[in-house]
Amino acid sequence: MIKRNLLVVGFEISLLFSFVVGYYRDKTCAELQVNNSSVICVCNATYCDTVTREEPHPRRFMVYTSSKAGLRFKKFTSILEVFDLLTECSTTLELEPRKRYQTIHGFGGAITDSAAINWSNLKDEELKQNLIESYCGDSGIQYNMLRVPIGGTDFSPRFYTYQDYPERDKDLSNFTLAPEDLNYKLPMIKACMKASNASIDILGSLWYPPAWMKSTKKSNGISFLEEEYYDALALYHLKFIKEYYKQGVPIWGITTTNEPLSGITKHANDNVLGWSVYGLANWIVNYLAPKIKRYDPSIKILGVDDQRFTVPLWFNAALKHVPELGRAIDGIGLHYYENELVPPEIVDRCLKNYPNLFVLSSEASIHSQTNNKVDLGSWDRAEKYIKNIIEDLNHNYTAWIDWNVCLDKMGGPVLSKTYLDSPVIVDPDAGVFYKQPLFYAMGHFSKFIPKGSKRIQSMEKYNCGDPIKHVAFSTPMNTIVVVVFNDKNKEKVVRLKLGYSQAKVLLEKNSIATVEFHNDVIDESCDCEK
């Protein structure tokens, strides 16, 4: 018995030692308090905070916490206990790994012209690398998806496409990547690919085609694609895919036009392209999909690429015009905007009869109607992301992609002067960049829910208070990951029940916690919905 106890004590000491080593391997946030907001973390050429995922040991769980009070991926470990059914109220999340839902593609952000130019403006190479590592490296939040515009957007220094001239050339004989691609976007994408130990999936999206293809012959304003150029625009996408491949950047998927509704509404002053419902469906089924799938059937084609409330328009109404649309696309991309006005159940209903299609969030950003600029240290904006990501994941979204990965202190540069916030704000003159609460909000998902993870059933029980927002996954490493969000201004204890074991977690007030432990419930005959 004494020998056995000594072995147990020795084992616990070794676990503690490995945790301490891992804890001190990380660089903590160089905090800067901003007004009455939460903190931002300052990175320069010689110092930038990091976070290392700790392999959870048997019979223990790991907790990573970020909070309004200033915690950033604070680590805590403790022992899994035997579950005790208490008589008093005690929030319990009951996990069932054998009940599985969608498979995760990943998390990421967009390498726009503005983002890549801002990154390039950081003249110190070590500082630039710190930003890349923060997003894509093992010591960062490990993005594995990047969205890249096919040509220019509102977050570009100018209006441009890949063949502005010669006009009316349906063969696109002068199709050429822009200086913005060669000098900014591609170098940043390649830097992320080099820093990552996992493959990075690239999603391309078109904002607008060459003006000579459009009904108005202008880059912006309400307009439609001339039908005589339907095949030329499909070829435009294919040439983009081929040119990026030549540059060493394979394209994982494309969307079928960014926010097509904007091209026929008051937002059309931006560089956009409008479609009719029939026109878009017809173009996808008879021009885009055949051309792309003949070249490479593995490339994903995502429809809609617009707000959640437009799914009945660009998908369901389009199906009535062109029923083949449901087989021509692989999934749909949805944007974050106006989600608070439209319940996610609308997506569930619209896709109910199409289990072969997946849905992901392809764009998100935040600005204020009264103050469009960057709000340094805003925890409120982080909360909006956290709540939306949890909601989307619980409604079978397979990925969540943010908009600009970095912007300047004004929230640009941007052609339309509609400045936005970003998880990372760069200040080249000071030789620093700032990690916003938004950055850590994204990281609590992207860092710990790798590609191939499956959402599992998690049911809240024994709670006498407000429901707690959460989502749970089984990972390819045979661990369980649970993300829990406490939006109240008081601490809360949550018990995560797996079989006969429980992890008792203290949630800080106004905080997000990611919890990970080994999955001891293994049954390959799972009840999988997707």
Side-chain angles (χ1 to χ4, degrees), residues 123-363:
K123 298 307 179 185
D124 190 293
E125 291 301 319
E126 290 298 322
L127 181 59
K128 291 172 66 176
Q129 188 60 30
N130 280 342
L131 195 154
I132 294 296
E133 290 289 338
S134 292
Y135 269 123
C136 300
D138 284 352
S139 62
I141 60 175
Q142 294 179 266
Y143 274 8
N144 75 309
M145 299 191 79
L146 296 174
R147 187 178 183 222
V148 60
I150 302 175
T153 73
D154 45 333
F155 279 85
S156 294
R158 63 190 177 98
F159 290 102
Y160 72 90
T161 71
Y162 296 136
Q163 185 168 322
D164 292 323
Y165 301 99
E167 298 183 357
R168 303 185 65 81
D169 175 13
K170 296 180 182 180
D171 294 326
L172 303 178
S173 58
N174 192 39
F175 186 98
T176 309
L177 294 180
E180 286 83 355
D181 294 276
L182 299 173
N183 298 330
Y184 301 110
K185 287 185 287 191
L186 280 165
M188 190 175 190
I189 291 170
K190 289 179 182 180
C192 278
M193 293 170 67
K194 184 177 180 181
S196 175
N197 282 321
S199 62
I200 290 186
D201 293 331
I202 310 296
L203 178 66
S205 295
L206 175 85
W207 264 246
Y208 60 106
W212 50 267
M213 292 187 186
K214 298 174 69 177
S215 56
T216 59
K217 310 306 178 188
K218 297 195 303 183
S219 296
N220 61 347
I222 294 175
S223 63
F224 298 89
L225 187 73
E226 296 278 15
E227 191 167 354
E228 64 175 304
Y229 297 118
Y230 275 22
D231 188 64
L233 185 59
L235 179 62
Y236 190 87
H237 283 76
L238 179 59
K239 282 181 173 282
F240 163 77
I241 291 169
K242 290 181 175 180
E243 289 300 317
Y244 260 59
Y245 184 80
K246 288 178 185 177
Q247 295 292 327
V249 178
I251 299 299
W252 171 82
I254 57 172
T255 68
T256 55
T257 298
N258 179 76
E259 296 187 358
L261 190 62
S262 295
I264 54 175
T265 65
K266 63 183 179 66
H267 297 291
N269 286 331
D270 290 335
N271 31 10
V272 291
L273 174 65
W275 287 95
S276 68
V277 171
Y278 170 74
L280 181 56
N282 177 36
W283 175 69
I284 294 170
V285 169
N286 295 308
Y287 298 90
L288 180 68
K291 201 174 290 289
I292 300 302
K293 294 296 186 179
R294 274 197 302 267
Y295 171 72
D296 185 347
S298 70
I299 293 175
K300 311 301 181 188
I301 298 177
L302 305 185
V304 185
D305 203 20
D306 213 326
Q307 272 62 264
R308 184 188 283 171
F309 68 83
T310 68
V311 177
L313 177 70
W314 299 124
F315 182 66
N316 299 89
L319 280 167
K320 293 183 179 180
H321 290 287
V322 186
E324 297 85 358
L325 178 65
R327 296 189 298 274
I329 61 176
D330 299 282
I332 64 173
L334 298 179
H335 292 193
Y336 157 93
Y337 318 109
E338 317 299 339
N339 274 3
E340 68 276 9
L341 304 177
V342 183
E345 286 78 10
I346 191 172
V347 181
D348 300 336
R349 289 196 294 269
C350 289
L351 296 181
K352 182 179 179 181
N353 296 324
Y354 297 88
N356 58 307
L357 301 181
F358 63 85
V359 57
L360 57 76
S361 180
S362 52
E363 184 180 313

Side-chain angles (χ1 to χ4, degrees), residues 428-444:
D429 294 335
V432 299
F433 63 84
Y434 307 112
K435 293 181 182 177
Q436 293 266 54
L438 284 169
F439 176 87
Y440 300 92
M442 288 293 300
H444 272 274

Side-chain angles (χ1 to χ4, degrees), residues 415-473:
L415 281 171
S416 64
K417 306 304 178 185
T418 306
Y419 299 101
L420 298 175
D421 214 332
S422 174
V424 169
I425 301 300
V426 302
D427 186 350
D429 294 335
V432 299
F433 63 84
Y434 307 112
K435 293 181 182 177
Q436 293 266 54
L438 284 169
F439 176 87
Y440 300 92
M442 288 293 300
H444 272 274
F445 301 90
S446 62
K447 177 77 179 178
F448 306 100
I449 307 170
K451 183 177 182 178
S453 298
K454 295 180 182 294
R455 183 169 67 87
I456 63 171
Q457 180 175 285
S458 54
M459 298 180 63
E460 186 172 353
K461 295 186 175 182
Y462 319 119
N463 184 12
C464 297
D466 295 328
I468 192 161
K469 293 176 173 58
H470 67 280
V471 64
F473 298 87

